[in-house]
Amino acid sequence: MRQLHVFFLPLMAHGHMIPALDMAKLFSSRGLKTTIISTPSFSDPIRKAQDSGFEVGLITIRFPHQESGLPHHIVSLDQVTSDAKLLPKFFKALSLIQDPVEKLIQDLNPDCLVSDMFLPWTADSAVKFGIPRLVFHGTSYFSLCVSEEMRRHKPFKNVDSDSEPFIVPNLPHQVKLVKTQVSDYNLQEKKDDFTMWINQMKDSDARSYGVVVNSFHELEPDYADHYRKVLGRKAWSLGPLSLCSNADEVRGEREQCLAWMDSKKANSVVYMCFGSMAKFTPAQLTEIANGLDESGQDFIWVVRKGKEDENEEWMPPRFEERIQGRGMIIRGWAPQLAILDHPALGAFVTHCGWNSTLEGVCAGVPMVTWPLFAEQFFNEKLVTEVLRIGVSVGNKKWQRGANEGVGGDAVAKAVRLVMVGEYAEEMRRRAANYKRMAKEAVEEGGSSYNDLTALIQDLSTYVPFNK
């Protein structure tokens, strides 16, 4: 069998780039030639992977700031957090990279294009050059199913108030939501630029060869089956992709937080981190600090660098003095995989981004769920109600900007619930079982391993419709 060459085109955002890189590593480990197309700002993690021995190619293309009207410092979707005027300009920039990408496809003649959901024009590019396009959404089967059933049935139209629950129909489990947990573009039939882009994405999904999913069958079997059999989507489970990352490389640096964790008892530390895009008001940061203190648990809290923490006026009086020895604040980046893998780690407070959620599953730890926007409220339902390995902190407001509204008492209550008592032990046992299944899924003969084998076979025999 000849060597297949796969192009990867991830979205310019940290949470999309990391799993795409892990997927490229995975494909490379199975004998495929892989090339990632990205902008210079995201070349560092790819070069680090190359330095670590992974045979992943890299081609950089220019990000069209000037043509799209974006400020020169905006190079990632992570930076477009609250300015609504910048979002359509960012998506315009994404559309403007179509020509240079198609030139690369023409010159290098790859056998397949794996592209991010936010790049719908790649469906046309794939057809143009007679190659299959695989879509990568970067989320769970569960959230894909909930989102699609919401789009088809619009169950929120049957309720009068924002606080009245509605049931998402046609799903394997009863899933209840309220309007405030759903984005405006899902609720409203408006025709703004972002909604039109979302519609293009849905249309391009239907015209693509299939979907690759960062999940494994044993985690959400009902929803993998629903997505394929009921919704009629061709899909392959390839995850957990984070198991392709080299956590030992980070661990070898023995960051200060890991040395601090070495002194702690097993399952005794709470890790709180909300990803690269979350923003909180100073008042909310104060509530978080008070809640962690009140919980009485040892903790590591990652506070995002930026305007919200630069003067630290949010910090309660004598807070760092009170938590000395039992609490650590990390400002900026933290070695998340290594922290989650540490024996002292007892629970994970997460925003329910799918990367972090799945990393928590792989670590076998219970979670406190604190969704903020995107599909995070759907992932929360999977964790707390289907898998039953987490508890909700109680946030019900979908908001992409600065978040607030959760009291310190709610934080303390949720943290204690996942750390102490009989229910915490039940969640820990279930979480440990999912950790075992995740590891088995990616090993030779496992469900994700076999799905990738089947995908490679399909790609090797692909015959384009237009030839």
Side-chain angles (χ1 to χ4, degrees), residues 132-336:
R133 181 229 187 187
L134 296 172
V135 189
F136 181 55
H137 291 271
T139 191
S140 60
Y141 280 110
F142 180 88
S143 70
L144 290 171
C145 292
V146 173
S147 179
E148 181 60 20
E149 297 295 4
M150 289 259 290
R151 188 184 71 84
R152 292 184 179 190
H153 301 286
K154 296 181 171 50
F156 44 80
K157 286 190 170 183
N158 299 325
V159 298
D160 297 323
S161 70
D162 287 348
S163 59
E164 182 182 351
F166 61 85
I167 296 174
V168 183
N170 202 33
L171 291 172
H173 296 81
Q174 186 180 88
V175 177
K176 287 185 178 180
L177 295 164
V178 294
K179 284 185 177 180
T180 56
Q181 294 173 302
V182 183
S183 65
D184 287 342
Y185 61 80
N186 273 325
L187 294 175
Q188 300 173 10
E189 307 257 344
K190 57 184 181 180
K191 299 294 183 183
D192 60 17
D193 291 339
F194 187 70
T195 305
M196 290 173 64
W197 192 268
I198 294 292
N199 290 336
Q200 288 178 37
M201 287 162 43
K202 298 291 186 184
D203 176 65
S204 71
D205 281 6
R207 293 185 293 112
S208 297
Y209 183 64
V211 179
V212 283
V213 184
N214 184 14
S215 187
F216 58 102
H217 185 80
E218 294 80 1
L219 183 68
E220 40 179 350
D222 294 339
Y223 293 90
D225 290 344
H226 186 88
Y227 192 66
R228 292 177 175 125
K229 297 175 183 178
V230 178
L231 299 179
R233 301 298 169 84
K234 200 171 184 179
W236 296 266
S237 305
L238 305 183
L241 293 171
S242 61
L243 294 181
C244 294
S245 294
N246 192 348
D248 289 335
E249 183 182 332
V250 178
R251 178 180 284 276
E253 298 174 14
R254 300 309 298 166
E255 296 284 343
Q256 180 185 359
C257 60
L258 299 179
W260 181 81
M261 292 182 78
D262 287 342
S263 67
K264 301 297 180 180
K265 295 179 181 178
N267 304 323
S268 68
V269 176
V270 177
Y271 172 60
M272 175 182 282
C273 182
F274 297 97
S276 57
M277 294 183 69
K279 291 189 70 176
F280 293 104
T281 64
Q284 182 63 80
L285 291 172
T286 302
E287 291 296 325
I288 293 173
N290 287 332
L292 287 172
D293 189 13
E294 183 186 337
S295 75
Q297 305 298 312
D298 292 352
F299 66 87
I300 293 175
W301 176 18
V302 181
V303 178
R304 183 177 181 269
K305 279 189 174 180
K307 291 181 180 179
E308 64 188 18
D309 74 313
E310 60 190 14
N311 54 22
E312 298 196 343
E313 292 179 358
W314 56 267
M315 191 175 288
R318 299 177 54 247
F319 177 67
E320 288 190 296
E321 180 182 332
R322 292 201 308 272
I323 66 169
Q324 189 170 9
R326 67 180 181 87
M328 173 177 286
I329 299 175
I330 298 176
R331 293 163 178 84
W333 179 86
Q336 179 157 300

Side-chain angles (χ1 to χ4, degrees), residues 18-40:
I18 297 302
L21 175 56
D22 287 339
M23 196 188 312
K25 293 177 186 176
L26 177 63
F27 278 51
S28 177
S29 73
R30 297 289 293 274
L32 281 68
K33 181 180 180 181
T34 59
T35 302
I36 296 179
I37 304 170
S38 187
T39 54

Side-chain angles (χ1 to χ4, degrees), residues 351-416:
H351 63 302
C352 296
W354 186 239
N355 292 338
S356 290
T357 302
L358 200 52
E359 287 166 9
V361 168
C362 291
V365 294
M367 292 176 248
V368 172
T369 57
W370 192 330
L372 302 170
F373 58 90
E375 88 291 1
Q376 295 162 13
F377 286 92
F378 302 162
N379 291 334
E380 176 184 56
K381 292 290 183 179
L382 174 66
V383 170
T384 60
E385 297 180 14
V386 178
L387 304 178
R388 295 184 297 135
I389 55 172
V391 298
S392 173
V393 77
N395 184 41
K396 293 186 184 300
K397 186 177 181 182
W398 195 105
Q399 186 169 342
R400 202 160 185 269
N403 284 265
E404 61 181 358
V406 177
D409 54 344
V411 176
K413 179 181 178 181
V415 168
R416 284 195 293 261

Side-chain angles (χ1 to χ4, degrees), residues 70-87:
L70 279 172
H72 279 281
H73 72 280
I74 300 292
V75 296
S76 167
L77 186 60
D78 300 332
Q79 297 168 298
V80 187
T81 52
S82 57
D83 191 339
K85 295 179 181 178
L86 290 180
L87 198 57

